[in-house]
Structures are given as C-alpha cells and as structure tokens.
Amino acid sequence: MKTSAIVVAAGSGSRMQSNVKKTYLEINGIPLIIRTLRVLEQSQVIKEVVLVVAEQDIEDAKRLVEQYGLRKINRYAPGGEDRQGSVYNGIQAVDEQAELILVHDGARPFVTLQEIERVVEQAGRYGAATIATPVKDTVKKVADGIVQETIPRSSLYSVQTPQVFEAARLREAHLKAREQGYQGTDDASLFERLGYPVRIVEGSYRNIKLTTPEDLLIAAVFLQNESESLRIR
Ligand code: CTP
Ligand code: MG
C-alpha cells in the first residue's frame, strides 16, 4: 500500500536543556533529525516523507536535508502549538494518494527498518498499528497519594512511534479531535476514541525518545554498541 510518513520535529526540546535545538543536536557528529530521517529514507515501504519543523526552521531543515543527500523528504509543514497540531499540519501536506500514513517522532532515531516494515504491514491489515513494548515495572493507579488499584502488568504496554493508520481515517480522527477540542497524548488515542481498532506491534526498548540530557548518554552507548557489532561482522 502507498505509505507516506510524517516526521514531527517542531517541539522546543525544553527538557533537553541544551542551547542547540534538540532536533539539530549532533549525536556522534550527525544531527538527531538526520539520524531519524535516514532510517525512513532507507525503508522500502515508505514512498515520501513530510517533515514538520517550526516555521522559522523550514529553510534550515531544507538545507540540512540537501546536505545529507536525503531524497525522500519532499514536503515540509510548519509546526503547531503542540504535537497534535504538528501532526495535523503534517497531514495537510501528505500526498492525497497515500493509503497509509506513518507518524514518527523526530526524536526517536533508533527505530529500525524491521519495525517500520512490521508496523506498516499490520496497519495495512488491521487499519492501524503502533509499536509498543511491554511495561517492565508494576503500575499502580493512585489518588491523593493512596494506591487505588494495581493494574495487571500483563495487560500494559508503553506505546512508541511509529504509529501507522489508514489515511482517510487518520484525517477523520484528527479533524474530529480538533473540532471537539480533544487533546490526546498520541495519534492512536484519537483513532481509538472513534472506536477503530489499533493493533500492537511489539518493538524494542532501544527505540527511546531522546528527551532529557541522560538520554544522550544512553544514545552514545547504543551507537558504540552498533559500531562494535559492525566491526565484529
Ligand atoms: N513536537 C512537534 N511539535 C510540537 C511539540 C512536539 O513536532 N509542538 C515533536 C517533537 O519535536 C518530538 C516529538 O513531537 O519529535 C515528541 O515530543 P517531545 O519529545 O516532547 O519533544 P519536545 O516537545 O521538543 O520536547 P519538550 O517537551 O522537552 O519541550
Ligand atoms: Mg513536548
């Protein structure tokens, strides 16, 4: 199926506490956003990539994409007030012929080609799918500092991106959320509230979202590990 990707990279990165914008922060000499875009560039199942960055950053982003020779990033959209607004703007720029839309956080450079392939395949089959990992800790519901309930862990997943949706339904879900003033914390939740099923595709704990300075240390370890495994091969 014809699949377009939206990469959202229009956040302010405030929790990273860096003077360089998070999106452009270099990890082993390569900007974070380029690392993420490179994976989508290589994916056989992605036809085009819409990059969402803050409006004032669009020209810089275009230059960077050109500098690194990426060819699949063919449209740019300005960021919104919040992540949901940025995805909404990205949707407006997606090729109308797209049958599936993949949404991915620019801040998750460790997504793999296999994960992209699997989540796209499952969304094609079920209408929507998201990468997720089983929760490792025991999770409790708390009110006023008192535990109300221990939720059986076997039923809990942490969801990541990529999340992939049938295009027409994703457009509908975002439009309805906007009209009704509904704010979700991910795209799948907008979909779920319309009663559409979302398939879970088990991913990897490596697909972290670089959020706080500690995450840069973890990223360095992952990269070190990758280059060592390359050397062994
Ligand atoms: N994002 C976006 N537009 C926004 C807010 C967030 O495109 N208005 C993107 C971010 O660029 C990031 C992804 O959504 O790739 C996940 O958001 P998060 O990790 O929270 O990044 P930031 O919002 O940039 O960071 P912070 O919350 O620390 O400011
Ligand atoms: Mg944020």
Side-chain angles (χ1 to χ4, degrees), residues 57-194:
D57 289 347
I58 291 181
E59 288 313 311
D60 278 347
K62 281 183 181 167
R63 262 194 296 278
L64 211 55
V65 161
E66 196 169 320
Q67 184 188 329
Y68 282 90
L70 303 178
R71 300 176 177 284
K72 232 180 248 176
I73 295 87
N74 60 347
R75 293 171 211 235
Y76 293 81
E81 285 274 292
D82 46 34
R83 185 185 179 283
Q84 190 172 313
S86 290
V87 175
Y88 181 88
N89 291 351
I91 290 172
Q92 311 314 310
V94 164
D95 183 351
E96 281 176 14
Q97 306 284 307
E99 295 162 284
L100 293 176
I101 298 176
L102 174 149
V103 182
H104 187 55
D105 291 326
R108 290 188 193 271
F110 295 110
V111 63
T112 65
L113 290 172
Q114 291 84 341
E115 282 162 357
I116 292 170
E117 221 167 277
R118 282 173 52 223
V119 72
V120 167
E121 193 268 327
Q122 292 288 298
R125 215 184 275 204
Y126 295 95
T130 179
I131 295 286
T133 52
V135 166
K136 292 183 193 175
D137 294 324
T138 295
V139 177
K140 296 186 190 291
K141 191 173 172 195
V142 176
D144 299 324
I146 301 290
V147 172
Q148 308 289 306
E149 191 190 345
T150 300
I151 304 164
R153 200 176 56 201
S154 58
S155 69
L156 295 177
Y157 282 82
S158 297
V159 303
Q160 306 172 346
T161 69
Q163 302 191 339
V164 185
F165 308 90
E166 199 187 288
R169 285 186 172 183
L170 183 67
R171 291 180 196 274
E172 177 199 352
H174 265 272
L175 208 58
K176 287 212 169 126
R178 171 166 283 228
E179 281 167 7
Q180 296 162 1
Y182 176 82
Q183 278 290 336
T185 49
D186 70 347
D187 300 287
S189 60
L190 311 188
F191 215 74
E192 293 151 27
R193 66 192 281 274
L194 300 186

Side-chain angles (χ1 to χ4, degrees), residues 1-93:
M1 287 172 97
K2 215 165 171 243
T3 307
S4 294
I6 297 171
V7 173
V8 284
S12 56
S14 53
R15 283 172 290 175
M16 195 55 85
Q17 297 164 19
S18 148
N19 43 11
V20 178
K21 263 197 182 170
K22 176 164 104 174
T23 303
Y24 303 108
L25 210 62
E26 292 189 0
I27 303 170
N28 276 9
I30 297 170
L32 170 55
I33 189 62
I34 295 296
R35 289 190 175 274
T36 304
L37 292 173
R38 272 183 171 173
V39 186
L40 290 159
E41 172 92 8
Q42 284 170 29
S43 173
Q44 305 272 353
V45 299
I46 301 297
K47 292 274 171 292
E48 65 155 1
V49 178
V50 173
L51 178 57
V52 184
V53 291
E55 186 147 35
Q56 68 271 20
D57 289 347
I58 291 181
E59 288 313 311
D60 278 347
K62 281 183 181 167
R63 262 194 296 278
L64 211 55
V65 161
E66 196 169 320
Q67 184 188 329
Y68 282 90
L70 303 178
R71 300 176 177 284
K72 232 180 248 176
I73 295 87
N74 60 347
R75 293 171 211 235
Y76 293 81
E81 285 274 292
D82 46 34
R83 185 185 179 283
Q84 190 172 313
S86 290
V87 175
Y88 181 88
N89 291 351
I91 290 172
Q92 311 314 310

